[in-house]
């Protein structure tokens, strides 16, 4: 590099540091007089006593008159009036690279098992802009998810973004583990946002397993961590997926759950004085969701196929977050408690679910067979009460008779064991064979 090329870089170097002082702490927020900073900048708060000094990472989330409003990434303990606040004039960056594969990390990129951060990683900002819409190639190729019901009835394309909508305890984590183990994607990035601490290790060891972990990076932000860390968990997981997409890979991103990201943003919004609007959610919640979800998908180099789980309170599919997310994504899978109660797993309700790109990526025979199975399931569901109480007389309707005959085979087809491996080709072949039988 020539000396003249270095001059612009030298001009950009800060030759002095910006400092401020903590004036007061209100709830989750720290008010500081200075330093000079912008929204999203990371600051260091030098707290503690002379004998036991402590540096706390915080982020600028707003301003109030002459005060800078900060939110810490950790607890507020040991921060006192007069604590020095050091500005960095930079947003949060994490170190990313292939050396992280097989590890579970926190939102700041540090391995949660206490091991050192691997060497040779690249620093990347966690908050980035979505790709230009005109630079997104259309989705025209299916990806093998390894779940028979999804590959056959709700086929997912490379670069598609899908929401998994469910109440608690219906099998979301188990389904994500199946996808992580069985998919043909090059790498998995899994964001566990707002999870119970007990469930993290359980998911990694039981649902993901050694086979799944060997090709995955897990980003963990548990429910006990501050709201800012939970949001950064989602942003960090997305940034890691973008890094590998820009290397030309097909990435599988799974985030559990978007609802907890929205709740974390609501906490921050209320703390900085935003008015609560729809069901207590602040306007910034509905601004952050599309910005986060639109970052995934296709670009000119690679793809990010994304699965986002959405917790629906009381199985209400029309609650604000579920409604907003469903409008942004390219499909939604609805997990039904009634189906789970019958012991049918994965408990996806095919009739309430849709893959918006399926018709563009499957052949005519596959599409027709899937439509026929939907029609058969719908016919049976409409007449189920009459059939169960014995009020339906065989021979009254040919369609109902056919649906009754095929129902046990369809249910058997839609069921799949947690560790049962099925290829997409096998799933589609079995679907076509089942629907052609008896025609």
């Amino acid at each position: 590099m020539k000396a003249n090329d270095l001059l612009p870089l030298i001009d950009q170097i800060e030759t002095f540091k910006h400092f401020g002082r903590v004036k007061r702490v209100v709830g989750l927020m720290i008010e500081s007089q200075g330093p000079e900073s912008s929204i999203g900048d990371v600051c260091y708060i030098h707290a503690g006593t002379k004998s036991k000094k402590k540096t706390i990472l915080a982020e600028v989330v707003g301003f109030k008159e002459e005060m800078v409003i900060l939110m810490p990434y950790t607890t507020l303990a040991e921060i006192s009036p007069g604590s020095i606040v050091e500005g960095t004039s930079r947003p949060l960056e994490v170190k990313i690279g292939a050396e992280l594969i097989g590890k579970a990390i926190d939102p700041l990129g540090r391995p949660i098992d206490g091991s050192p951060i691997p060497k040779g990683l690249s620093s990347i900002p966690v908050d980035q802009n979505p790709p230009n819409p005109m630079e997104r190639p259309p989705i025209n190729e299916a990806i093998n998810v390894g779940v028979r019901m999804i590959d056959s009835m709700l086929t997912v394309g490379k670069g598609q973004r899908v929401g998994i909508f469910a109440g608690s305890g219906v099998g979301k984590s188990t389904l994500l583990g199946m996808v992580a183990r069985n998919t043909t994607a090059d790498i998995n990035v899994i964001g566990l946002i707002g999870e119970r601490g007990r469930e993290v290790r359980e998911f990694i060891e039981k649902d993901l397993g050694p086979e799944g972990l060997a090709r995955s990076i897990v980003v963990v932000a548990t429910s006990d961590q501050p709201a800012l860390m939970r949001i950064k968990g989602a942003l960090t997981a997305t940034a890691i997926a973008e890094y590998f997409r820009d290397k030309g890979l097909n990435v599988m991103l799974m985030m559990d759950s978007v609802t907890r990201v929205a709740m974390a943003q609501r906490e921050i919004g209320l703390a900085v004085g935003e008015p609560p609007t729809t069901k207590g959610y602040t306007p910034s919640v509905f601004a952050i969701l599309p910005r986060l979800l639109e970052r995934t998908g296709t670009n000119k180099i690679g793809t990010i196929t994304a699965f986002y789980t959405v917790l629906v309170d009381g199985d209400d599919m029309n609650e604000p977050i579920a409604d907003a997310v469903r409008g942004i994504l390219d499909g939604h899978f609805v997990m039904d408690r009634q189906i789970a109660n019958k012991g049918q797993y994965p408990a996806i309700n095919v009739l309430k679910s849709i893959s918006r790109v399926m018709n563009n990526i499957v052949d005519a025979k596959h599409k027709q067979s899937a439509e026929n199975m939907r029609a058969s399931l719908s016919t049976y569901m409409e007449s189920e009460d009459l059939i169960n109480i014995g009020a339906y007389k065989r021979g009254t309707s040919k369609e109902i008779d056919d649906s009754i005959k095929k129902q046990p085979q369809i249910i058997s087809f839609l069921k799949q064991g947690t560790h049962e491996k099925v290829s997409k080709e096998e799933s589609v072949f079995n679907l076509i064979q089942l629907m052609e039988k008896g025609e």
Side-chain angles (χ1 to χ4, degrees), residues 398-429:
K398 185 179 182 302
E399 286 80 11
I400 297 176
D401 288 346
D402 286 345
S403 70
I404 293 171
K405 183 182 174 184
K406 285 182 177 175
Q407 186 68 8
Q409 296 167 292
I410 290 174
I411 296 302
S412 177
F413 172 81
L414 296 177
K415 279 185 177 181
Q416 185 174 338
T418 306
H419 293 279
E420 181 185 349
K421 284 195 171 183
V422 187
S423 69
K424 178 179 174 293
E425 292 72 24
E426 187 183 345
S427 299
V428 174
F429 175 78

Side-chain angles (χ1 to χ4, degrees), residues 37-43 58-63 73 88-92 127 232:
S37 52
S38 306
I39 294 285
D41 283 357
V42 171
C43 294
E59 184 174 305
V60 178
V61 294
F63 303 98
Y73 290 122
T88 64
S89 302
R90 295 175 67 86
L92 179 67
D127 196 1
K232 293 304 173 187

Side-chain angles (χ1 to χ4, degrees), residues 131 136 139 143 156-162 185 187-189 237-255 292-299 301-308 330:
R136 287 185 184 268
I139 298 167
I143 190 168
V156 174
K158 287 181 181 177
Q160 185 175 351
R161 301 158 305 147
V162 179
I187 183 172
N188 301 313
V189 180
T238 307
I240 292 171
E242 288 170 327
Y243 172 85
F244 287 105
R245 176 182 62 185
D246 293 342
K247 297 285 184 186
L249 301 181
N250 295 314
V251 184
M252 180 70 73
L253 171 67
M254 287 165 273
M255 193 175 292
L292 173 67
L293 303 178
E294 286 288 351
R295 285 172 62 180
T296 54
T298 60
N299 72 0
I301 307 166
T303 65
I304 301 173
T305 307
F307 285 91
Y308 298 98
D330 309 316

